[in-house]
Amino acid sequence: MTELWKTDVFYWSGVAALIPQAYLNLMSIGFIRNRYYELFKYTHFLVVVLFVIFFFIHCNFRLTSWDYFIAAFIVYASSFLPASIRTYVLNGMRHRADFDLKRDGTIEINVPTKMVWKPGQHVFVRFLAFGPNALTAHPFTICSLPGETGKGSIMTFYLRPNKGFTSRLASIASGGSRVPMPVLFEGPYGGLGPRALTSFDRVLLIAGGSGGSFILPLLQNFVRCASGQKGMRELVVKAPEIEVVWAARHQDSISWFRDALDRVLPETLRGSIKVYIHITRPEESSSPSTTRYSQSSTTDPVVKNDVERHGNSSKATDEKALSVPEDMISLHFEGRPNLLTLVDATTAFPGSVGVAVCGPSSMNHDVRNAASKVQARIISGATLVSELYLHTENYSHASLAVLMKLFLIRHGETVDNVAHICAGVKDSALTIHGNLQVERLGRYFAQAGVRFTNIFSSDLQRAFKTAEAIRIAQGIGNDQGKVALREVSQLTVLREQDFGSYEGEPFYSRPHDPKKSGNADDMDIDFKDVESIDSMTRRVDSFVRDHLLQLLYDEGLQVQQTVAVVSHGIILSHLWRYFLNLFPPGSVTLNPNLLVGTEGTRVVLEHLGGWSNTGYLELDILPGPVEPVVANDSANSVPRVPQSLLKGLSLQPLPFKMTVNTVNGTEHLKNLKRTGGGIGSSVHDERQRKIDSFFQRQKLGD
């Protein structure tokens, strides 16, 4: 074997081909590729070439294998020929790009050109001043329309910088350099297809985040048609009624979109176009907006209808004179728009409706579901609308292997836990042993490389101190100047169940049946009942909608979210069952390496939660959409939560999948023993010094 290895090229060339192949397989794993994308991008070209060369040698023309190599190379190389002709010959090498950085960080790119394109199309752009990056083509949606034939046009793009290539563009834009950058265009591609939105009676345009750039050329095309100019689509006699719904994270994001609307929409379309802007995270605006808002009266029938569909609104006014009429734009600060209600309202009148949406996959999923319901009613004759046409453009988080890692964590041991006393909203303190538990938990996550992007906690001290220990431990082993430790978000909705008059009483004093009041004497007017299941369900509904779903539906999500929810045993069980109910049947699975229950026992996901002190439930939420799965009797089948628990709550299935990785994780407590003599069960005093501190040598200069 050794002699063959040294003398026969067939042996060593096979190993030489396996090494680059193994590298490609490893670096192609989702979370590794996202974490080291720039390294992957620059090295995989070289590694692929090495693999092909050694594999070519290894085949050694057995069974005419080299003929297949040559044929495949010719087919692959020829696929570049049409794109190269379009890029270098038809579009030319004369284009120069100017950059402008907006207040919210959005970059506007303008390129003078004589190219021709249609609304909704995109091009692939190469920036020639970026060295090796010039070999990479980046897709951009065109946010403008060409001028009249034979005259020059301005091709406009908007983008939100993130890491790598786009951060370099942001540096150029912020540097104030006015030297145009040479660029190459491949395209244009895509578009709206054979149907023209201008041919419908009503049009609904929906966008999320940077998807707002997609609807700008569509609006410009409507304006051209309505004003009698020659547009990119056929001219219509009567312009359709148009609603624009755009969702953005921050109030600062309004500026670039408003400026773009200024250039697109004239005063003459006051009655036919309405623009609704939804700010999903108004509390995270980087600075107070210069825009003044005057509250609209909800007694007006039109405004009241808008409130039902969009939430509380404000009319936008600004110190600078706008060409866009003030009553055309309204702002909403209560989270994401209700897409199902929007589509239903637009299709509530006779005529035809065209809908176009550009946003993250979750937004497109919701609009597709709403449109399919309307189309089903059209087929059955149960609606006045005669036709609904839907066009979707998607930018998604598909590049992320896992969207969110979610940890549901119970607090450390408390004094009332040890004393077997009911402590729901009673603010029971951690014991000395409980404090050791939370310190162990924080170090365990830090040493395992778990870096939390968000930490939510009950505002009761036992949960908050547990969350704070996790937060502080995040800096262990890191450069404190570079690692930003996000503050813990304390929320009253994550409090434990209120035990009412049983607060501070022994466990055995509570009724075993949670449905019973426990009040033996109905005449006792001072008796306070235990908090109901309905009340707890509404609290977890508020938390999921206002916090977890806002993170999952984040249109700017580019990195995996890692979220800790530190709370209490009973409310965590309700949170888990509620969250489970949001996922379609068949979309929740157990990690194959997870051992739950005894062999042959059917796992009931609804009742997985059994939280020890500092025990945690670890979940992975992955991109969808999910294909329908027929329920079976396998261990991974998901029982539905009784609808009685969700009475009055309007729930839509999430377009995600979920994997359960850990149930009641307590690995961090291994070999942790309680201090004897009752000391471990006593109240932890933060002013107490640990015994090892007495043996530490004081540093000079302290």
Side-chain angles (χ1 to χ4, degrees):
M1 181 69 72
T2 304
E3 185 66 23
L4 288 174
W5 176 270
K6 293 179 179 179
T7 59
D8 195 337
V9 70
F10 173 77
Y11 280 87
W12 66 262
S13 61
V15 175
L18 283 175
I19 293 174
Q21 183 184 43
Y23 174 84
L24 290 172
N25 290 340
L26 178 65
M27 292 299 293
S28 297
I29 298 174
F31 70 91
I32 298 179
R33 183 182 67 247
N34 293 326
R35 177 66 179 83
Y36 303 103
Y37 178 74
E38 294 296 320
L39 174 65
F40 170 78
K41 183 174 68 174
Y42 289 122
T43 59
H44 85 280
F45 293 109
L46 174 62
V47 174
V48 166
V49 171
L50 292 175
F51 168 76
V52 171
I53 291 174
F54 287 116
F55 191 45
F56 185 84
I57 297 172
H58 180 68
C59 290
N60 198 26
F61 201 61
R62 285 177 173 81
L63 300 177
T64 67
S65 57
W66 286 358
D67 293 342
Y68 292 95
F69 271 93
I70 296 170
F73 177 78
I74 293 174
V75 172
Y76 182 70
S78 64
S79 67
F80 289 98
L81 185 60
S84 299
I85 293 175
R86 174 172 281 191
T87 299
Y88 297 103
V89 180
L90 299 181
N91 294 338
M93 304 178 64
R94 62 189 178 277
H95 296 105
R96 301 291 184 270
D98 291 312
F99 301 89
D100 183 21
L101 186 66
K102 301 298 183 180
R103 186 180 66 178
D104 69 325
T106 298
I107 302 173
E108 179 182 330
I109 304 175
N110 291 298
V111 184
T113 181
K114 291 184 179 181
M115 290 173 55
V116 177
W117 63 94
K118 300 176 181 178
Q121 289 194 308
H122 65 275
V123 292
F124 290 90
V125 185
R126 289 186 175 90
F127 295 86
L128 301 184
F130 279 177
N133 256 322
L135 300 175
T136 305
H138 305 272
F140 287 90
T141 298
I142 306 173
C143 306
S144 59
L145 286 184
E148 297 181 10
T149 304
K151 295 185 178 180
S153 306
I154 299 294
M155 189 177 287
T156 302
F157 311 99
Y158 292 96
L159 68 93
R160 290 282 298 176
N162 190 35
K163 296 179 180 179
F165 156 74
T166 55
S167 67
R168 295 179 65 184
L169 286 181
S171 299
I172 293 174
S174 61
S177 174
R178 294 300 176 186
V179 179
M181 179 184 295
V183 295
L184 294 177
F185 287 139
E186 178 193 333
Y189 299 113
L192 292 180
R195 292 300 303 272
L197 291 178
T198 52
S199 64
F200 294 94
D201 298 315
R202 291 183 303 281
V203 174
L204 177 61
L205 304 177
I206 303 173
S210 57
S213 59
F214 169 78
I215 63 179
L216 292 174
L218 304 183
L219 286 175
Q220 190 174 354
N221 192 43
F222 286 124
V223 171
R224 287 189 178 183
C225 291
S227 61
Q229 299 179 29
K230 185 178 180 181
M232 299 305 302
R233 298 288 182 178
E234 68 270 15
L235 187 63
V236 293
V237 177
K238 180 179 180 296
E241 296 180 6
I242 304 169
E243 277 195 18
V244 176
V245 180
W246 180 57
R249 280 185 293 173
H250 308 128
Q251 186 172 324
D252 293 341
S253 301
I254 297 174
S255 59
W256 77 266
F257 191 68
R258 182 203 61 194
D259 292 342
L261 290 177
D262 283 353
R263 294 193 294 268
V264 170
L265 300 180
E267 184 92 17
T268 54
L269 294 181
R270 177 188 296 266
S272 60
I273 297 181
K274 296 292 183 182
V275 179
Y276 302 93
I277 301 177
H278 289 255
I279 307 302
T280 59
R281 299 189 191 178
E283 72 281 358
E284 294 187 11
S285 296
S286 61
S287 61
S289 175
T290 59
T291 305
R292 299 194 304 267
Y293 305 104
S294 57
Q295 290 293 336
S296 304
S297 171
T298 56
T299 59
D300 184 280
V302 176
V303 176
K304 184 177 181 180
N305 183 48
D306 285 344
V307 169
E308 292 174 353
R309 295 159 61 188
H310 298 272
N312 290 334
S313 64
S314 301
K315 299 297 182 183
T317 61
D318 196 281
E319 294 173 0
K320 118 181 182 183
L322 299 179
S323 62
V324 179
E326 293 181 6
D327 61 353
M328 185 183 291
I329 301 178
S330 61
L331 306 177
H332 305 267
F333 298 90
E334 295 187 350
R336 300 172 63 247
N338 189 327
L339 300 176
L340 177 61
T341 304
L342 279 171
V343 175
D344 282 345
T346 307
T347 57
F349 304 97
S352 59
V353 176
V355 180
V357 56
C358 181
S361 57
S362 55
M363 173 177 280
N364 290 7
H365 175 85
D366 290 346
V367 175
R368 280 193 294 264
N369 281 345
S372 65
K373 292 179 180 179
V374 174
Q375 288 167 341
R377 293 199 295 267
I378 293 174
I379 294 173
S380 63
T383 182
L384 296 175
V385 68
S386 59
E387 179 186 9
L388 185 143
Y389 172 80
L390 174 65
H391 176 85
T392 61
E393 292 280 337
N394 186 54
Y395 69 87
S396 68
H397 315 313
S399 61
L400 295 180
V402 177
L403 293 178
M404 176 186 290
K405 291 190 75 70
L406 179 62
F407 293 81
L408 305 183
I409 306 168
R410 190 188 177 199
H411 59 76
E413 180 190 83
T414 69
V415 175
D416 287 337
N417 289 154
V418 176
H420 303 289
I421 291 175
C422 294
V425 296
K426 183 175 181 286
D427 206 4
S428 182
L430 293 177
T431 62
I432 291 176
H433 187 68
N435 189 67
L436 293 176
Q437 289 177 331
V438 303
E439 289 181 350
R440 280 279 194 102
L441 179 64
R443 288 199 301 269
Y444 174 80
F445 283 140
Q447 292 168 2
V450 179
R451 294 289 176 259
F452 290 104
T453 57
N454 298 83
I455 302 178
F456 300 101
S457 165
S458 160
D459 64 338
L460 299 177
Q461 64 169 315
R462 57 188 184 272
F464 173 69
K465 289 184 177 179
T466 303
E468 188 67 6
I470 295 172
R471 185 190 74 87
I472 293 174
Q474 293 287 287
I476 295 177
N478 291 289
D479 185 345
Q480 293 286 347
K482 295 182 179 179
V483 178
L485 301 181
R486 182 186 290 268
E487 294 298 322
V488 175
S489 298
Q490 300 183 64
L491 304 171
T492 57
V493 293
L494 290 177
R495 285 186 173 188
E496 181 61 295
Q497 181 182 24
D498 187 347
F499 297 138
S501 294
Y502 297 105
E503 291 282 346
E505 298 296 325
F507 285 163
Y508 60 78
S509 64
R510 285 186 57 203
H512 295 292
D513 187 351
K515 296 181 180 179
K516 293 184 178 180
S517 162
N519 183 10
D521 185 2
D522 292 336
M523 300 300 293
D524 185 0
I525 60 175
D526 294 328
F527 178 82
K528 182 181 178 183
D529 207 350
V530 176
E531 183 181 9
S532 68
I533 293 177
D534 284 345
S535 173
M536 288 189 289
T537 303
R538 294 189 182 280
R539 283 201 282 132
V540 299
D541 170 76
S542 172
F543 171 70
V544 170
R545 291 178 188 271
D546 295 343
H547 299 282
L548 290 187
L549 293 189
Q550 294 295 332
L551 293 174
L552 275 173
Y553 280 98
D554 188 344
E555 71 279 352
L557 181 62
Q558 299 293 332
V559 295
Q560 173 187 290
Q561 303 284 296
T562 305
V563 179
V565 179
V566 185
S567 188
H568 314 266
I570 296 177
I571 199 67
L572 282 175
S573 295
H574 280 271
L575 174 60
W576 161 243
R577 288 198 293 271
Y578 176 92
F579 199 54
L580 173 65
N581 195 70
L582 293 178
F583 288 81
S587 65
V588 181
T589 58
L590 301 177
N591 189 312
N593 298 322
L594 175 66
L595 298 178
V596 179
T598 59
E599 185 176 356
T601 302
R602 179 176 181 270
V603 175
V604 181
L605 290 178
E606 181 187 350
H607 301 294
L608 277 183
W611 278 268
S612 303
N613 289 320
T614 65
Y616 62 88
L617 178 66
E618 179 186 354
L619 310 169
D620 280 353
I621 301 173
L622 303 90
V626 180
E627 295 297 330
V629 177
V630 179
N632 52 44
D633 294 330
S634 68
N636 289 354
S637 61
V638 184
R640 295 294 90 198
V641 178
Q643 291 301 310
S644 59
L645 294 180
L646 308 169
K647 184 178 179 181
L649 302 178
S650 175
L651 304 176
Q652 294 291 329
L654 296 177
F656 307 116
K657 297 177 287 187
M658 180 163 64
T659 301
V660 181
N661 292 325
T662 306
V663 175
N664 194 29
T666 54
E667 300 89 345
H668 56 285
L669 299 180
K670 187 177 181 180
N671 299 325
L672 177 63
K673 296 181 179 180
R674 183 183 300 277
T675 306
I679 296 176
S681 301
S682 60
V683 179
H684 170 66
D685 186 351
E686 294 180 351
R687 295 171 298 179
Q688 272 186 324
R689 296 172 62 189
K690 294 183 179 180
I691 190 169
D692 57 0
S693 67
F694 291 95
F695 300 97
Q696 292 176 353
R697 181 175 298 177
Q698 188 175 19
K699 296 181 180 179
L700 294 177
D702 284 356

